[in-house]
């Protein structure tokens, strides 16, 4: 398997524009996580899905952020409208289901977002 | 509220020495705790998992301990090498759900 695939790797956009980040999890993984990482706040969990269903979105900072998982092999994180304070590295991660031995999470390479 | 605390100051050690990193957590008793490594520009990579009924876990030069009374995990790298330089993150399972929450990480620098 190619691992968790995120696109784009880098995104530069102007304030007010819509930004869509994409993630393809590892095949067979039941859980998908979206994180945001900054120097100030570290690695923050934004939302996670189980079997394509959002389970906990309490980390989503504002209504400007939304995430979807239309099927088991694709998820998006959308920011509309974007603001300079959204600049960060966004990671997607996936892991297998609830079996006790399957808790390891695999991360993508991340998307570095810069909002100017 | 639940908190995960890692030393925010970088740990700077000489090659060959043992590096010890600390992860403290409050207000919960995690069933297990994971450690990850993150290199600049890359996503975290899983290293080790230790369960609440395990006092110690080893993998090559890595050793993790888990003290549920102190609410603390220690991560050791023996015979450290410059290639071990990275940020190390702990992730205790902080509730009954399956969400994965990380500490802020500790940066390790191993000098040659």
């Amino acid at each position: 398997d190619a691992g968790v695939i995120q696109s784009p790797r880098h995104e530069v956009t102007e304030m007010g524009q819509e930004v869509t980040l994409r993630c393809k999890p590892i095949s067979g993984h039941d859980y998908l996580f979206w994180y945001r990482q900054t120097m100030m706040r570290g690695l923050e969990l934004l939302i996670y899905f189980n079997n394509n269903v959002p389970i906990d979105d309490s980390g989503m900072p504002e209504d400007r952020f939304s995430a979807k998982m239309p099927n088991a092999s694709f998820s998006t994180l959308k920011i509309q409208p974007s603001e300079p304070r959204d600049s960060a590295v966004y990671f997607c991660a996936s892991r297998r289901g609830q079996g006790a031995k399957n808790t390891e999470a695999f991360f993508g390479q991340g998307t570095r977002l810069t909002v100017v | 509220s639940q908190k995960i605390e890692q030393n925010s100051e970088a740990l700077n050690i000489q090659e060959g020495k043992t590096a010890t990193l600390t992860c403290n957590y409050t207000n919960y008793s995690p069933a297990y705790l994971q450690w990850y490594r993150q290199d600049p520009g890359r996503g975290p990579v899983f290293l080790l998992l230790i369960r609440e009924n395990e006092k110690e876990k080893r993998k090559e030069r890595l050793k993790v301990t888990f003290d549920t009374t102190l609410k603390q995990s220690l991560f050791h790298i023996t015979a450290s090498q410059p290639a071990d330089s990275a940020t190390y993150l702990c992730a205790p399972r902080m509730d009954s759900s399956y969400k994965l929450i990380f500490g802020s990480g500790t940066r390790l620098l191993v000098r040659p």
Side-chain angles (χ1 to χ4, degrees):
Chain A
D1 201 316
V4 177
I5 299 173
Q6 292 187 245
S7 64
R9 288 296 309 278
H10 303 274
E11 177 81 36
V12 180
T13 190
E14 291 186 347
M15 182 174 63
Q17 296 297 307
E18 176 180 297
V19 175
T20 299
L21 311 181
R22 297 172 175 79
C23 175
K24 177 177 171 22
I26 293 173
S27 177
H29 282 192
D30 299 329
Y31 287 85
L32 183 139
F33 304 85
W34 280 102
Y35 293 88
R36 177 174 67 177
Q37 188 171 41
T38 60
M39 287 293 294
M40 289 296 296
R41 301 175 69 88
L43 191 62
E44 300 175 278
L45 176 64
L46 300 177
I47 184 171
Y48 81 98
F49 295 82
N50 178 214
N51 292 326
N52 314 336
V53 176
I55 302 301
D56 187 338
D57 65 354
S58 59
M60 296 286 260
E62 301 172 32
D63 292 344
R64 297 184 297 107
F65 286 68
S66 62
K68 295 182 179 180
M69 193 164 185
N71 56 63
S73 59
F74 184 65
S75 177
T76 59
L77 178 67
K78 185 177 295 185
I79 308 173
Q80 165 65 17
S82 58
E83 297 183 4
R85 59 194 169 117
D86 301 330
S87 297
V89 180
Y90 291 81
F91 286 103
C92 174
S94 70
R95 50 158 280 198
R96 292 185 184 278
Q98 299 180 14
K101 296 182 180 179
N102 298 323
T103 55
E104 173 184 356
F106 295 81
F107 282 75
Q109 295 277 53
T111 295
R112 180 174 294 278
L113 173 65
T114 303
V115 183
V116 298
Chain B
S1 64
Q2 299 168 349
K3 288 179 65 176
I4 305 168
E5 296 177 340
Q6 293 187 257
N7 194 339
S8 59
E9 290 186 18
L11 179 62
N12 193 326
I13 65 170
Q14 185 73 42
E15 181 177 10
K17 301 294 185 183
T18 295
T20 298
L21 308 177
T22 304
C23 176
N24 294 298
Y25 54 90
T26 61
N27 297 331
Y28 198 74
S29 297
Y32 58 75
L33 185 148
Q34 302 181 50
W35 283 90
Y36 287 73
R37 167 182 172 144
Q38 186 175 22
D39 291 284
R42 305 184 73 90
V45 175
F46 173 81
L47 295 175
L48 279 169
L49 178 150
I50 187 165
R51 302 187 187 283
E52 61 181 339
N53 61 348
E54 299 174 315
K55 296 297 183 186
E56 182 180 296
K57 197 82 166 279
R58 291 176 184 261
K59 179 182 177 182
E60 298 173 351
R61 293 183 298 110
L62 308 181
K63 185 179 84 171
V64 173
T65 62
F66 197 6
D67 189 325
T68 55
T69 300
L70 292 178
K71 295 189 182 298
Q72 180 181 81
S73 176
L74 299 179
F75 178 83
H76 306 273
I77 305 176
T78 59
S80 60
Q81 304 167 0
D84 295 326
S85 299
T87 296
Y88 292 85
L89 303 143
C90 72
R93 184 184 178 190
M94 293 300 282
D95 58 27
S96 59
S97 76
Y98 286 86
K99 65 184 177 184
L100 190 57
I101 305 294
F102 289 86
S104 55
T106 299
R107 185 179 172 203
L108 172 66
L109 177 62
V110 181
R111 302 188 311 274

